[in-house]
Amino acid sequence: MRPVQRRQQGLQYGVYLLAMQALNFGVDKIPPATLITIIGQVLLYVGLIKVPWNAEEVCISAIKVFKYYDWNSFIVSNFEHGSDMHLYYNMISLILKGSYLEPMYGAMNFVTLLAIFSLGCSAMYAGLGYGLMQLTGDYGYYTQCAIGFSAVLFALKVLLVCEEHDRIHDVGGFRVPSKIAVWVELILIHLLVPQSSFIGHLGGILVGCLYCYTFIGEIIDNIIGTVTGTPIIHEEQFYRRRSSFLR
């Protein structure tokens, strides 16, 4: 999401709504790493985690990365949010995706994967911004700034599709096959929420595709296993998708 206003500290409607939805879902049913990640982002948004920046100051853009080497934005932009409802929708999505993936991978493997996806999404966002500027001559792609966890969530969405058996997804009232669900969601969000970051969401999808469908995923799995000491285990469906794509 593009940062359009200064974050207001304190509890807002979206935060209350998130708390109610988490209680309805069952806090005890949310895996620990997912829950801690959500709590951390909520505390950061409401200002209980004290940091020496405003959310708008750490939005990521290609110019910040390639010209000014702003590594602070590169790392933390994914965890800041521009509004309480932006935070709400992202954290609800994380509850659903984390509740499926974390028990499968284990808490430490899932946290490590989130960290790698976060860095990958930042790199992809900056790379797309620079590449589109070079391709189109539009300097706006180079300077467009964004914050939020949405890109990581799109990467997780691709991963979720790779792990599960083919089925029909409901995306905004449209019933579509799983293999195109993430692309339909990308287009719908761009049409319904034009201030959202299309480049960020697209970057998240591409990061997810690199992980699921290329040798890069195997390298990441090896890194995760080395860091945590526990191999990351995928469903058989995941390996079939990766091997069929690489043939």
Side-chain angles (χ1 to χ4, degrees), residues 12 37 63 71 73 128 153 211:
Q12 299 175 44
T37 302
I63 191 172
W71 304 119
S73 297
L128 285 174
L153 292 170
Y211 177 73

Side-chain angles (χ1 to χ4, degrees), residues 29-201:
K29 296 179 182 178
I30 303 175
T34 300
L35 183 60
I36 291 171
T37 302
I38 291 168
I39 292 173
Q41 293 189 60
V42 170
L43 294 179
L44 180 62
Y45 177 79
V46 301
L48 292 179
I49 294 179
K50 302 299 182 182
V51 290
W53 63 74
N54 293 318
E56 295 80 3
E57 295 171 351
V58 293
C59 65
I60 187 172
S61 66
I63 191 172
K64 279 188 171 185
V65 173
F66 293 116
K67 185 174 182 179
Y68 299 110
Y69 307 109
D70 187 347
W71 304 119
N72 190 42
S73 297
F74 187 89
I75 294 170
V76 305
S77 58
N78 286 307
F79 305 101
E80 288 281 8
H81 289 83
S83 72
D84 58 327
M85 295 309 295
H86 184 208
L87 175 74
Y88 165 73
Y89 286 117
N90 278 356
M91 295 304 98
I92 290 297
S93 179
L94 181 56
I95 287 174
L96 298 176
K97 293 173 176 61
S99 295
Y100 182 93
L101 294 171
E102 184 180 334
M104 184 187 306
Y105 298 157
M108 288 305 300
N109 283 348
F110 185 65
V111 167
T112 308
L113 184 63
L114 286 181
I116 293 173
F117 273 6
S118 177
L119 295 175
C121 287
S122 291
M124 186 66 75
Y125 182 88
L128 285 174
Y130 178 81
L132 287 170
M133 184 268 290
Q134 293 288 343
L135 184 65
T136 66
D138 186 348
Y139 196 70
Y141 288 117
Y142 195 51
T143 59
Q144 187 179 112
C145 229
I147 53 176
F149 206 64
S150 304
V152 178
L153 292 170
F154 267 94
L156 291 177
K157 175 73 172 180
V158 175
L159 177 54
L160 198 66
V161 168
C162 289
E163 291 286 9
E164 66 185 10
H165 293 285
D166 293 327
R167 65 183 181 89
I168 301 298
H169 286 246
D170 188 304
V171 180
F174 297 95
R175 295 180 62 79
V176 297
S178 60
K179 62 184 178 181
I180 65 169
V182 68
W183 298 103
V184 174
E185 186 174 346
L186 171 69
I187 294 170
L188 280 179
I189 290 178
H190 182 61
L191 293 175
L192 298 175
V193 191
Q195 71 270 27
S196 64
S197 174
F198 181 83
I199 296 176
H201 296 167

